[in-house]
Amino acid sequence: MFSILACKVKQNAPRCHTYLEIIYTRYGVATHWVFIVFALITNILVGSQLLLGGSAVVTSLTGMNVYAAIFLIPLGVCVYVVLGGLRATFLCDYSHTLILMIVILYFMFNAYATSDLI
């Protein structure tokens, strides 16, 4: 659904790069600032949820303190990006996503195809 919506938006507003530009053009400055504030608040909430979830996983796997994991995960990512560059970051993200998808598919097929509980 979102890919169809993105294609339609690109047809109607081919020079806009973000939805905030569309809001600015269509509704004006005041609405544009309201949506900027909402977008920033949403990004802060989602980023903190992802960071807390990742630190909970690290804590459960290694026994590390949650506060240390919350601090060390972004620090490790920043160091890797600075030392490895943008290309290395994209390759690393792709490989992590591929491994994660393989693990998810394994557990899904294991649960639904061979499990005696289902």
Side-chain angles (χ1 to χ4, degrees):
M1 184 174 91
F2 284 112
S3 63
I4 295 169
L5 181 64
C7 290
K8 189 65 179 164
V9 166
K10 202 61 177 169
Q11 284 177 350
N12 292 338
R15 292 187 185 95
C16 290
H17 301 95
T18 64
Y19 77 95
L20 290 172
E21 291 175 344
I22 296 170
I23 296 293
Y24 177 75
T25 304
R26 173 91 171 140
Y27 299 108
V29 177
T31 309
H32 178 68
W33 280 103
V34 168
F35 270 83
I36 285 176
V37 170
F38 285 159
L40 288 174
I41 291 171
T42 302
N43 284 336
I44 290 170
L45 285 173
V46 170
S48 63
Q49 289 171 353
L50 288 172
L51 186 58
L52 190 59
S55 65
V57 168
V58 170
T59 299
S60 66
L61 290 176
T62 63
M64 179 188 290
N65 187 359
V66 177
Y67 299 116
I70 288 173
F71 179 73
L72 291 175
I73 289 173
L75 183 67
V77 171
C78 290
V79 168
Y80 184 79
V81 169
V82 168
L83 295 179
L86 190 60
R87 181 177 176 191
T89 303
F90 284 138
L91 290 174
C92 184
D93 288 343
Y94 178 77
S95 63
H96 287 150
T97 304
L98 181 68
I99 292 168
L100 185 63
M101 290 304 295
I102 290 170
V103 169
I104 288 172
L105 288 173
Y106 170 75
F107 283 123
M108 183 187 73
F109 285 120
N110 188 19
Y112 288 117
T114 62
S115 178
D116 295 332
L117 298 174
I118 298 178

